[in-house]
Amino acid sequence: MNLQLHHVGMVVADIAAASELYCRRFGYTRQTDAIHDPKQQAIVQLLRLPGDAVYLELAAPDTPASPLQAALAHKPLHHLCYSAADIEEACRKLETQGLTLISPPVEAIAFGGRRIAWLMGKDRLLVELVEAGASLG
């Protein structure tokens, strides 16, 4: 599959406050502005530590009806994301490893239109795949 860790996703109630906190506390830099993605029902912002290749994605629900709203009541770690050169092949291979495809590949505004897919294993860890590409990440 040739997967590489792309980002760690954290669900937060307030993107601006969380972004300020992580930048001040840990030295993250903002890689994007806050981006509204109606397909994902989320507002997202990517941060990164200087010199690091892995992003920290802050994700907040865009409305009270967003699926992320329920995640706010749980732990802030929301998902691990891996970049994949062939997202369909990676989905198929991960399904053979026992993960369930929750959302097939769809375009994501936060990643310049590259497609993302969501899977989950019996361990309940949410896994996102993002198509590898030249744009952000």
Side-chain angles (χ1 to χ4, degrees), residues 3-109:
L3 299 178
Q4 293 185 330
L5 187 62
H6 183 271
H7 69 259
V8 175
M10 291 185 60
V11 70
V12 299
D14 182 324
I15 291 282
S19 177
E20 191 280 324
L21 176 69
Y22 278 87
C23 289
R24 180 175 39 83
R25 182 181 286 168
F26 300 112
Y28 279 91
T29 59
R30 292 172 183 89
Q31 300 297 297
T32 67
D33 292 328
I35 302 165
H36 180 234
D37 189 338
K39 286 184 182 180
Q40 300 301 312
Q41 299 179 41
I43 300 167
V44 299
Q45 185 171 38
L46 295 174
L47 310 177
R48 188 164 51 185
L49 290 169
D52 201 347
V54 177
Y55 294 94
L56 173 63
E57 178 189 49
L58 303 176
D62 65 351
T63 68
S66 169
L68 286 176
Q69 196 66 45
L72 281 173
H74 303 298
K75 296 179 181 176
L77 175 63
H78 187 254
H79 65 275
L80 295 179
C81 177
Y82 296 92
S83 63
D86 183 335
I87 196 167
E88 284 89 4
E89 177 190 3
C91 286
R92 284 191 298 274
K93 286 187 177 181
L94 289 171
E95 284 182 294
T96 68
Q97 296 298 316
L99 277 77
T100 300
L101 184 65
I102 296 170
S103 176
V106 296
E107 290 182 3
I109 294 169

